[in-house]
Amino acid sequence: MSDPSPPPEWQRQMLAIAEGDGDFLPLGDRHYAFFAEERPELLVTFEDAATLREREDNLPEHYALAKSRGWSLLTILAEGETWWRDPAVFRYFDRLADDGFLEDFDRVVFYGAGPAGYAAAAFSITAPQAELVLIAPRATLDPSLAGWDERHRIARRINFRGRYGYAPDMTESASRVWLIHDPLHQPDAMHAALFQRPWVTPLYARFTAEGTEDTLREMRVLDRIIEAAMEGKMSADRFSWLWRARRSNGSYLRAILAAARLSGHPKREIKICRSVTSRLNAPRFARRLAELTGEPV
């Protein structure tokens, strides 16, 4: 009998880690589960396999954070825009629940953004008392409930009914849900409204639009938010304090300047430009201030 073919190059680093304390296994044809075991705190994430393959280390985005903090990590990888709605993934989480695997951890945090935020919410039902950090999560793409969302056209053919289907209902066993989104961005705000539950705390990241996760990553506060949740120290006040980093973030500052310009408020533009140029080296804001006031750059 011939030897089995070697695994693809992009899987080898995860397989090497799994050989120690962990696991790496296919879930059907389009998903994989990667588990790296450390101390009894578990971070659960959901990722696109294509994005992972683009990284030099071929590891999940949050592996380095989990490793440095001594957390265990479970990442479910998807090939393509599956939204993790696959019977093989359902069966995997069924097994975790039936075996009490997730209940063996002292703390469990589910994290996800956008479609991955949908998956994090949907599968969190298998880990009672987990804490969730969701960034602009989708509640569902079921046309009867979210037909207004014009994004994700390819995924509209996916069946969002049935098991693990409606993400807001699947958060009912969570201890807390921190839902970060831009309330000024209508599609994300409408999905967030569907998540309204007593255990869900909305946290507002205004003027981030579709790029909320990217902006938090640029600000270097995304890891700190996840860390606060894992330590049981996350709160609205903690987020407000971390969100202050926006005052030095280029994406955010350009967004608020553009909003002021579009709304026809030159005095607000001047105020923004003066604030930014007094604190940062910002040629674009200095030029705009000169245009508005006639002051030299």
Side-chain angles (χ1 to χ4, degrees), residues 178-237:
W178 307 101
L179 197 160
I180 305 168
H181 71 288
D182 181 354
L184 306 177
H185 186 58
Q186 188 175 20
D188 289 345
M190 292 174 73
H191 279 287
L194 296 175
F195 276 91
Q196 287 185 358
R197 303 290 190 280
W199 52 88
V200 177
T201 301
L203 301 171
Y204 302 129
R206 291 179 172 82
F207 296 104
T208 55
E210 291 282 346
T212 304
E213 183 186 37
D214 288 340
T215 300
L216 294 174
R217 192 182 288 116
E218 287 174 9
M219 290 164 51
R220 299 184 180 179
V221 301
L222 180 57
D223 286 357
R224 296 170 72 183
I225 291 168
I226 296 172
E227 187 173 24
M230 187 65 80
E231 294 176 351
K233 296 178 180 179
M234 187 60 182
S235 66
D237 287 343

Side-chain angles (χ1 to χ4, degrees), residues 50-120:
T51 301
L52 179 143
R53 284 193 288 270
E54 291 173 358
R55 295 193 193 101
E56 186 174 349
D57 61 6
N58 293 147
L59 289 171
E61 177 181 1
H62 299 288
Y63 175 78
L65 172 65
K67 182 69 174 177
S68 68
R69 301 298 188 270
W71 308 334
S72 299
L73 175 71
L74 173 62
T75 298
I76 310 300
L77 299 166
E79 293 283 9
E81 196 172 353
T82 70
W83 290 62
W84 296 268
R85 300 244 357 114
D86 185 315
V89 179
F90 301 167
R91 289 191 295 270
Y92 179 73
F93 276 98
D94 288 345
R95 289 197 303 273
L96 296 185
D98 292 343
D99 295 344
F101 174 80
L102 297 171
E103 296 180 22
D104 287 342
F105 291 89
D106 295 340
R107 288 192 65 82
V108 179
V109 171
F110 279 69
Y111 169 77
Y118 163 82

